[in-house]
Amino acid sequence: MRTIIHADLDAFYASVEQLDNLDLRGRPVVVGGSPESRGVVAAASYEARAHGIHSAMPMSRALRLCPEAVRVSPRFDRYAEVSRRVMSIFRSVTPLVEPLSLDEAFLDVTGRHDEHGGVKGLALYLKGEVKRETGLTVSIGVGTNKTVAKIASDMKKPDGLVIVPPGGEAQFLAPLPTRALWGVGPKSEETLKRAGLVRVGEIARAGKDRMQRLFGSRGRELWQMASGRDSRPVTVNHDRKSVGAETTFPRDLPDGPELRAQLLRLAAEVSARLRQKRLVARTTSLKLRYAGFRTISRQASRDEPTDDESEIATTAASLLDAVTEPGDEYRLIGIQCTNLSLARQRQGQLALWH
C-alpha cells in the first residue's frame, strides 16, 4: 500500500513577504501587479482573504475590497530560493518528490515513516523542519494516492494536517461536492447536477458505465477518483534538457483573466528556475490539456536565448492566442523552455549556481 503526501505551503508568496518584512505581519498583503497596469493578484495573505480577496482577482478590485491592503510586487527569485530549501527538506526524507510548482509537491514516502513513529510522526517532522528552516507553515495531506492526498491537504488550511487511512478513501471523499475532484468545472458540475449527482459519493455509486455514458472515456477516470482510486505514480523529472512548470486546475478554466494569470505565474516560475541554473533558452513551449483530456503543445523559437520573464510570458501568451477558441476550457497549462545554453554572467551581478 502506497503512502503519498501532498505538501502545500500556505499563502506562499504573501507569507514570504511577511516573513521578510516585519511591518507586513498581521496585515492584509496582496502580491501582484499594480492596478494601473491591469495587474492581478498572484497571492493573498490570510488576512487579505478574510476580505474576499483571492488569486487571479484584478488588483483594482482587491484594493477596493480592502483599501488598507498592502500591495507588494512579486519577487520570484526570492520565492524560488525559499522553494529550493523546502524541496531539499522533502528530498532528505525521500527521493520521490514531484514538485507541482514553487509551493507544492507530492512525496511518495512508502516504507519511510517507521523511523518517525508512523505517518503522523513523519508529517509532523516535515512541518517542523519547514518551520525551523524557513519560518513558513505547510499544510499536509496524506493518503494512498494523489487524489486523496491533494484534497486532504486543502481541508484544514493554514498549517493543516489531514491523514486519510488506507481503506477510508471513498468514505473521506463521499460527502464532498463534485467540484472537489480534479477536472470537474462548471460545465461538468452542471452535467452531474442534471443527472442528480452533487456529491462525490454519488458519482462513486453511479457506477463506471453510467459515468461513461455521461462523459465518455473521461467518465471512467471520474468514477475511479470518486471511488478513491488513483494509480498515478509520483514522478521525478530527471530531464535536464528543459526547464518548465505546469499546473492542473481544481476545475476547468475558460480563457480569461484567471487562466492568463496562471500563465503569467508559470512564466515567472520558469524564468526564476532558468536563472537559478544560470541558463537561457531559445524555445518556449506551451502545453494545454483540454477539459476533454485532449492535450496539445505549441512552441516558438527566438534568435537570441533568454531567461526574461516578460519575454517568456509574451511568447506563451501568443501561442495561447493562436489556439484558443470560444467555449474551450482547460484542465492543465504548462510552459517549458528548451534549446538551453549557459547564460553569460550579468555585469555587476554574481551569477547564480545551485
mmCIF file of all heavy atoms in Angstrom, residues 11-12 17 46 53 59 81 92-93 113 115 154 164 171 173-174 178 181 214 220 225-226 259 263 289 291 324 344-345:
data_model
loop_
_atom_site.group_PDB
_atom_site.id
_atom_site.type_symbol
_atom_site.label_atom_id
_atom_site.label_comp_id
_atom_site.label_asym_id
_atom_site.label_seq_id
_atom_site.Cartn_x
_atom_site.Cartn_y
_atom_site.Cartn_z
ATOM 1 N N ALA A 11 -0.324 30.190 1.563
ATOM 2 C CA ALA A 11 -0.255 31.575 1.058
ATOM 3 C C ALA A 11 1.201 31.945 0.767
ATOM 4 O O ALA A 11 1.704 32.959 1.253
ATOM 5 C CB ALA A 11 -0.876 32.543 2.058
ATOM 6 N N PHE A 12 1.869 31.140 -0.039
ATOM 7 C CA PHE A 12 3.326 31.121 -0.115
ATOM 8 C C PHE A 12 3.937 32.486 -0.397
ATOM 9 O O PHE A 12 4.746 32.995 0.391
ATOM 10 C CB PHE A 12 3.755 30.109 -1.166
ATOM 11 C CG PHE A 12 5.254 30.004 -1.356
ATOM 12 C CD1 PHE A 12 6.100 29.863 -0.272
ATOM 13 C CD2 PHE A 12 5.812 30.048 -2.622
ATOM 14 C CE1 PHE A 12 7.480 29.749 -0.436
ATOM 15 C CE2 PHE A 12 7.172 29.940 -2.804
ATOM 16 C CZ PHE A 12 8.011 29.789 -1.714
ATOM 17 N N GLU A 17 6.703 37.332 1.893
ATOM 18 C CA GLU A 17 6.801 38.781 2.060
ATOM 19 C C GLU A 17 6.632 39.172 3.523
ATOM 20 O O GLU A 17 7.352 40.035 4.036
ATOM 21 C CB GLU A 17 5.751 39.485 1.190
ATOM 22 C CG GLU A 17 5.916 39.278 -0.303
ATOM 23 C CD GLU A 17 7.243 39.775 -0.842
ATOM 24 O OE1 GLU A 17 7.877 40.638 -0.192
ATOM 25 O OE2 GLU A 17 7.662 39.285 -1.919
ATOM 26 N N TYR A 46 -3.699 35.434 4.450
ATOM 27 C CA TYR A 46 -4.974 35.033 5.027
ATOM 28 C C TYR A 46 -5.726 36.236 5.585
ATOM 29 O O TYR A 46 -6.963 36.251 5.611
ATOM 30 C CB TYR A 46 -4.760 33.951 6.085
ATOM 31 C CG TYR A 46 -4.520 32.606 5.448
ATOM 32 C CD1 TYR A 46 -3.233 32.148 5.203
ATOM 33 C CD2 TYR A 46 -5.575 31.809 5.043
ATOM 34 C CE1 TYR A 46 -3.007 30.925 4.585
ATOM 35 C CE2 TYR A 46 -5.366 30.589 4.426
ATOM 36 C CZ TYR A 46 -4.075 30.156 4.200
ATOM 37 O OH TYR A 46 -3.867 28.945 3.571
ATOM 38 N N ILE A 53 -10.595 38.538 -0.931
ATOM 39 C CA ILE A 53 -9.573 38.622 -1.973
ATOM 40 C C ILE A 53 -9.029 37.229 -2.259
ATOM 41 O O ILE A 53 -8.802 36.436 -1.338
ATOM 42 C CB ILE A 53 -8.432 39.567 -1.537
ATOM 43 C CG1 ILE A 53 -8.977 40.981 -1.335
ATOM 44 C CG2 ILE A 53 -7.301 39.570 -2.552
ATOM 45 C CD1 ILE A 53 -7.973 41.948 -0.733
ATOM 46 N N MET A 59 -6.274 43.344 -9.514
ATOM 47 C CA MET A 59 -5.743 44.049 -8.360
ATOM 48 C C MET A 59 -6.609 45.247 -7.987
ATOM 49 O O MET A 59 -6.771 45.561 -6.794
ATOM 50 C CB MET A 59 -4.309 44.498 -8.634
ATOM 51 C CG MET A 59 -3.610 45.133 -7.447
ATOM 52 S SD MET A 59 -3.442 44.000 -6.027
ATOM 53 C CE MET A 59 -2.173 42.882 -6.655
ATOM 54 N N GLU A 81 14.159 30.732 -4.212
ATOM 55 C CA GLU A 81 15.195 30.412 -3.223
ATOM 56 C C GLU A 81 14.595 29.666 -2.036
ATOM 57 O O GLU A 81 15.130 28.647 -1.586
ATOM 58 C CB GLU A 81 15.863 31.709 -2.752
ATOM 59 C CG GLU A 81 16.861 31.522 -1.623
ATOM 60 C CD GLU A 81 17.265 32.842 -0.994
ATOM 61 O OE1 GLU A 81 16.934 33.912 -1.545
ATOM 62 O OE2 GLU A 81 17.919 32.800 0.071
ATOM 63 N N SER A 92 15.243 15.073 1.661
ATOM 64 C CA SER A 92 16.012 14.428 2.734
ATOM 65 C C SER A 92 15.254 13.241 3.305
ATOM 66 O O SER A 92 15.838 12.385 3.973
ATOM 67 C CB SER A 92 16.323 15.438 3.843
ATOM 68 O OG SER A 92 15.148 15.763 4.590
ATOM 69 N N VAL A 93 13.941 13.189 3.042
ATOM 70 C CA VAL A 93 13.103 12.100 3.527
ATOM 71 C C VAL A 93 12.910 11.033 2.463
ATOM 72 O O VAL A 93 12.921 9.834 2.744
ATOM 73 C CB VAL A 93 11.740 12.660 3.997
ATOM 74 C CG1 VAL A 93 10.746 11.539 4.275
ATOM 75 C CG2 VAL A 93 11.914 13.535 5.235
ATOM 76 N N HIS A 113 8.299 5.904 6.864
ATOM 77 C CA HIS A 113 7.774 6.637 8.006
ATOM 78 C C HIS A 113 7.977 5.927 9.333
ATOM 79 O O HIS A 113 7.722 6.503 10.389
ATOM 80 C CB HIS A 113 6.289 6.957 7.809
ATOM 81 C CG HIS A 113 5.486 5.850 7.192
ATOM 82 N ND1 HIS A 113 5.115 4.732 7.894
ATOM 83 C CD2 HIS A 113 5.012 5.694 5.930
ATOM 84 C CE1 HIS A 113 4.413 3.940 7.106
ATOM 85 N NE2 HIS A 113 4.345 4.487 5.906
ATOM 86 N N GLU A 115 10.660 5.167 10.961
ATOM 87 C CA GLU A 115 11.682 5.799 11.810
ATOM 88 C C GLU A 115 11.170 7.073 12.479
ATOM 89 O O GLU A 115 11.802 7.590 13.401
ATOM 90 C CB GLU A 115 12.929 6.121 10.986
ATOM 91 C CG GLU A 115 12.685 7.083 9.839
ATOM 92 C CD GLU A 115 13.890 7.194 8.927
ATOM 93 O OE1 GLU A 115 14.766 8.023 9.235
ATOM 94 O OE2 GLU A 115 13.947 6.471 7.924
ATOM 95 N N ASP A 154 -5.909 20.419 1.558
ATOM 96 C CA ASP A 154 -6.649 21.679 1.486
ATOM 97 C C ASP A 154 -7.761 21.759 2.527
ATOM 98 O O ASP A 154 -8.437 22.783 2.624
ATOM 99 C CB ASP A 154 -7.247 21.828 0.086
ATOM 100 C CG ASP A 154 -7.619 23.263 -0.248
ATOM 101 O OD1 ASP A 154 -6.831 24.164 0.089
ATOM 102 O OD2 ASP A 154 -8.700 23.480 -0.823
ATOM 103 N N VAL A 164 -5.740 10.448 5.708
ATOM 104 C CA VAL A 164 -6.823 9.550 5.318
ATOM 105 C C VAL A 164 -6.278 8.124 5.383
ATOM 106 O O VAL A 164 -5.377 7.771 4.610
ATOM 107 C CB VAL A 164 -7.340 9.865 3.905
ATOM 108 C CG1 VAL A 164 -8.476 8.924 3.529
ATOM 109 C CG2 VAL A 164 -7.794 11.330 3.823
ATOM 110 N N GLN A 171 -14.885 6.842 1.787
ATOM 111 C CA GLN A 171 -15.650 7.473 2.860
ATOM 112 C C GLN A 171 -15.236 8.934 3.044
ATOM 113 O O GLN A 171 -16.083 9.809 3.283
ATOM 114 C CB GLN A 171 -15.443 6.708 4.160
ATOM 115 C CG GLN A 171 -16.253 7.251 5.335
ATOM 116 C CD GLN A 171 -16.022 6.447 6.602
ATOM 117 O OE1 GLN A 171 -15.295 5.450 6.612
ATOM 118 N NE2 GLN A 171 -16.630 6.878 7.693
ATOM 119 N N LEU A 173 -14.021 10.933 0.714
ATOM 120 C CA LEU A 173 -14.435 11.718 -0.449
ATOM 121 C C LEU A 173 -15.947 11.866 -0.559
ATOM 122 O O LEU A 173 -16.437 12.869 -1.101
ATOM 123 C CB LEU A 173 -13.914 11.061 -1.734
ATOM 124 C CG LEU A 173 -12.387 11.019 -1.920
ATOM 125 C CD1 LEU A 173 -12.039 10.144 -3.118
ATOM 126 C CD2 LEU A 173 -11.822 12.426 -2.104
ATOM 127 N N ALA A 174 -16.694 10.895 -0.068
ATOM 128 C CA ALA A 174 -18.130 10.801 -0.346
ATOM 129 C C ALA A 174 -18.925 12.075 -0.070
ATOM 130 O O ALA A 174 -19.756 12.479 -0.895
ATOM 131 C CB ALA A 174 -18.735 9.624 0.421
ATOM 132 N N THR A 178 -18.980 17.674 -5.853
ATOM 133 C CA THR A 178 -18.304 17.102 -7.018
ATOM 134 C C THR A 178 -17.160 17.977 -7.504
ATOM 135 O O THR A 178 -16.191 17.483 -8.081
ATOM 136 C CB THR A 178 -19.302 16.884 -8.168
ATOM 137 O OG1 THR A 178 -19.923 18.126 -8.508
ATOM 138 C CG2 THR A 178 -20.356 15.872 -7.765
ATOM 139 N N LEU A 181 -13.257 17.227 -7.083
ATOM 140 C CA LEU A 181 -12.452 16.352 -7.940
ATOM 141 C C LEU A 181 -11.774 17.158 -9.035
ATOM 142 O O LEU A 181 -12.366 18.064 -9.625
ATOM 143 C CB LEU A 181 -13.332 15.274 -8.583
ATOM 144 C CG LEU A 181 -13.970 14.252 -7.644
ATOM 145 C CD1 LEU A 181 -14.835 13.300 -8.449
ATOM 146 C CD2 LEU A 181 -12.898 13.479 -6.874
ATOM 147 N N LEU A 214 -22.207 9.461 -19.508
ATOM 148 C CA LEU A 214 -22.288 10.911 -19.317
ATOM 149 C C LEU A 214 -21.082 11.648 -19.896
ATOM 150 O O LEU A 214 -21.221 12.735 -20.463
ATOM 151 C CB LEU A 214 -22.397 11.239 -17.824
ATOM 152 C CG LEU A 214 -23.728 10.958 -17.142
ATOM 153 C CD1 LEU A 214 -23.603 11.140 -15.635
ATOM 154 C CD2 LEU A 214 -24.822 11.879 -17.694
ATOM 155 N N ARG A 220 -14.843 7.309 -16.882
ATOM 156 C CA ARG A 220 -14.189 6.228 -16.131
ATOM 157 C C ARG A 220 -13.208 6.803 -15.113
ATOM 158 O O ARG A 220 -13.160 6.340 -13.970
ATOM 159 C CB ARG A 220 -13.460 5.287 -17.093
ATOM 160 C CG ARG A 220 -12.702 4.166 -16.395
ATOM 161 C CD ARG A 220 -11.913 3.332 -17.403
ATOM 162 N NE ARG A 220 -11.125 2.311 -16.739
ATOM 163 C CZ ARG A 220 -11.553 1.102 -16.445
ATOM 164 N NH1 ARG A 220 -12.790 0.756 -16.761
ATOM 165 N NH2 ARG A 220 -10.781 0.225 -15.829
ATOM 166 N N MET A 225 -11.681 8.180 -9.500
ATOM 167 C CA MET A 225 -11.289 9.165 -8.495
ATOM 168 C C MET A 225 -12.329 9.242 -7.382
ATOM 169 O O MET A 225 -11.985 9.289 -6.193
ATOM 170 C CB MET A 225 -11.096 10.539 -9.137
ATOM 171 C CG MET A 225 -9.832 10.683 -9.951
ATOM 172 S SD MET A 225 -9.458 12.409 -10.371
ATOM 173 C CE MET A 225 -10.862 12.833 -11.388
ATOM 174 N N ALA A 226 -13.607 9.279 -7.762
ATOM 175 C CA ALA A 226 -14.668 9.368 -6.769
ATOM 176 C C ALA A 226 -14.697 8.145 -5.859
ATOM 177 O O ALA A 226 -15.108 8.227 -4.701
ATOM 178 C CB ALA A 226 -16.013 9.539 -7.468
ATOM 179 N N LEU A 259 -7.099 32.272 -16.214
ATOM 180 C CA LEU A 259 -6.169 31.460 -16.994
ATOM 181 C C LEU A 259 -4.922 32.264 -17.337
ATOM 182 O O LEU A 259 -3.792 31.763 -17.239
ATOM 183 C CB LEU A 259 -6.846 30.953 -18.265
ATOM 184 C CG LEU A 259 -5.996 30.002 -19.118
ATOM 185 C CD1 LEU A 259 -5.892 28.633 -18.451
ATOM 186 C CD2 LEU A 259 -6.580 29.862 -20.522
ATOM 187 N N LEU A 263 -0.923 31.698 -16.466
ATOM 188 C CA LEU A 263 0.128 31.700 -17.482
ATOM 189 C C LEU A 263 1.279 32.610 -17.069
ATOM 190 O O LEU A 263 2.454 32.246 -17.190
ATOM 191 C CB LEU A 263 -0.458 32.142 -18.821
ATOM 192 C CG LEU A 263 0.424 31.934 -20.058
ATOM 193 C CD1 LEU A 263 0.521 30.451 -20.400
ATOM 194 C CD2 LEU A 263 -0.129 32.712 -21.247
ATOM 195 N N ARG A 289 -3.995 21.076 -21.785
ATOM 196 C CA ARG A 289 -4.862 19.907 -21.715
ATOM 197 C C ARG A 289 -6.298 20.406 -21.566
ATOM 198 O O ARG A 289 -6.630 21.133 -20.634
ATOM 199 C CB ARG A 289 -4.486 19.004 -20.542
ATOM 200 C CG ARG A 289 -5.371 17.754 -20.435
ATOM 201 C CD ARG A 289 -4.720 16.726 -19.533
ATOM 202 N NE ARG A 289 -3.460 16.284 -20.110
ATOM 203 C CZ ARG A 289 -2.406 15.887 -19.372
ATOM 204 N NH1 ARG A 289 -2.482 15.872 -18.054
ATOM 205 N NH2 ARG A 289 -1.292 15.511 -19.965
ATOM 206 N N ALA A 291 -10.564 20.237 -21.313
ATOM 207 C CA ALA A 291 -11.489 19.594 -20.387
ATOM 208 C C ALA A 291 -11.763 18.154 -20.784
ATOM 209 O O ALA A 291 -11.972 17.297 -19.925
ATOM 210 C CB ALA A 291 -12.794 20.390 -20.321
ATOM 211 N N THR A 324 -6.682 29.169 -28.861
ATOM 212 C CA THR A 324 -7.897 29.207 -28.050
ATOM 213 C C THR A 324 -9.108 29.571 -28.899
ATOM 214 O O THR A 324 -9.027 30.400 -29.805
ATOM 215 C CB THR A 324 -7.742 30.190 -26.874
ATOM 216 O OG1 THR A 324 -8.856 30.069 -26.003
ATOM 217 C CG2 THR A 324 -7.653 31.628 -27.365
ATOM 218 N N ARG A 344 25.442 34.168 -19.971
ATOM 219 C CA ARG A 344 26.624 34.975 -19.654
ATOM 220 C C ARG A 344 26.407 35.640 -18.313
ATOM 221 O O ARG A 344 25.310 36.066 -17.984
ATOM 222 C CB ARG A 344 26.836 36.049 -20.727
ATOM 223 C CG ARG A 344 27.142 35.480 -22.104
ATOM 224 C CD ARG A 344 27.246 36.588 -23.120
ATOM 225 N NE ARG A 344 27.505 36.061 -24.458
ATOM 226 C CZ ARG A 344 27.548 36.810 -25.550
ATOM 227 N NH1 ARG A 344 27.333 38.119 -25.465
ATOM 228 N NH2 ARG A 344 27.801 36.260 -26.721
ATOM 229 N N GLN A 345 27.494 35.782 -17.562
ATOM 230 C CA GLN A 345 27.379 36.415 -16.248
ATOM 231 C C GLN A 345 26.996 37.868 -16.425
ATOM 232 O O GLN A 345 27.577 38.594 -17.213
ATOM 233 C CB GLN A 345 28.701 36.304 -15.498
ATOM 234 C CG GLN A 345 28.623 36.773 -14.048
ATOM 235 C CD GLN A 345 29.853 36.352 -13.280
ATOM 236 O OE1 GLN A 345 30.445 35.317 -13.546
ATOM 237 N NE2 GLN A 345 30.239 37.170 -12.334
#
